[in-house]
Amino acid sequence: VDFCRYYAGQVADGDFQGSAAALGPVLCISPWNFPLAIFLGQISAALAAGNTVIAKPAEQTPLVAFLAVQLLHRAGIPLPALQFLPGPGATIGAALAADFRVRGVLFTGSTTVARSINQALARRGEVRLVAETGGQNAMIVDSSALPEQVVQDVMVSAFDSAGQRCSALRVLCLQEEIADRVLTLLRAALLELALGDPAAQCTDIGPVIDATARARLLAHGAAMGGRGRKIFQAPLPAACGAGSFVPPTVIEIAALDELDGEVFGPILHVLRFRRDALAALVAAINGTGYGLTL
């Protein structure tokens, strides 16, 4: 609702007057983790700027997207101006991005896919691309911090939505003088989390999006364990054994470069640092190549 009102307000205020002409057909590719908000944000922006839209939602979440498009048509968006085309990204999404008639792409998703879209567009000349990709978000905690407050913030950021937000905390950097104390509290807090049906008010963590995501996350944990890293996991209730559930996990790492990409789920990495190495830590975080919501 906020997205629709925002772009409608820009149109009403004449903010688009005098800007470049509309591009033409624009392809909007949205992610599964915000299947309504980002989907509508892309569409409303493109329409407000005078473009026609082909809306391609994530293949995991087509139904909420289909309902949103139906509501937009009922609200007065002309059928030819907004077309809904669900399907796998590797086939439908790739074919649309490569089609010469598409004059712009709005994409939210992984950095890898964004690069492939960018390469496809570059081969066909001047085509606008707006891409929002992943994050490798870090929290730096020095010895002046209140451990209880740190743990409360960490639990919300790292484990809400089962860690399936690009804004979720991925790396908790603890000054070594307080690391053991914070980790003790963090492990105790993990044991208080309730896993189960996300429709239940008492549930803290639901499943990850699908079996593929679950397998990827469990493989990451196994690989870290194979390197000898300390791993702490909350127990998985018996009722969650049949679904795509991943237990909330804390993994201690020795260096930031042990992470070669975003781990998109309820897994938090903890990195200890010395006070005199703070500048080097900040440089390492900046050197990961991620900036979204950091």
Side-chain angles (χ1 to χ4, degrees), residues 104-190:
V105 177
L106 303 182
F107 171 81
T108 298
S110 73
T111 305
T112 302
V113 174
R115 287 196 180 109
S116 68
I117 292 174
N118 190 35
Q119 291 167 358
L121 298 182
R123 288 192 288 269
R124 11 188 230 101
E126 195 170 322
V127 182
R128 187 76 52 84
L129 170 64
V130 179
E132 178 192 25
T133 59
Q136 193 70 288
N137 304 303
M139 178 191 292
I140 300 175
V141 182
D142 70 13
S143 59
S144 71
L146 181 65
E148 292 82 359
Q149 183 177 353
V150 171
V151 170
Q152 184 178 26
D153 289 344
V154 167
M155 295 298 290
V156 170
S157 186
F159 300 113
D160 270 11
S161 304
Q164 298 174 118
R165 299 171 184 245
C166 47
S167 56
L169 176 64
R170 304 293 180 206
V171 186
L172 175 62
C173 306
L174 298 173
Q175 189 172 324
E176 57 185 12
E177 286 83 357
I178 63 164
D180 288 336
R181 166 68 174 157
V182 173
L183 279 168
T184 297
L185 294 173
L186 186 58
R187 293 182 189 118
L190 242 62

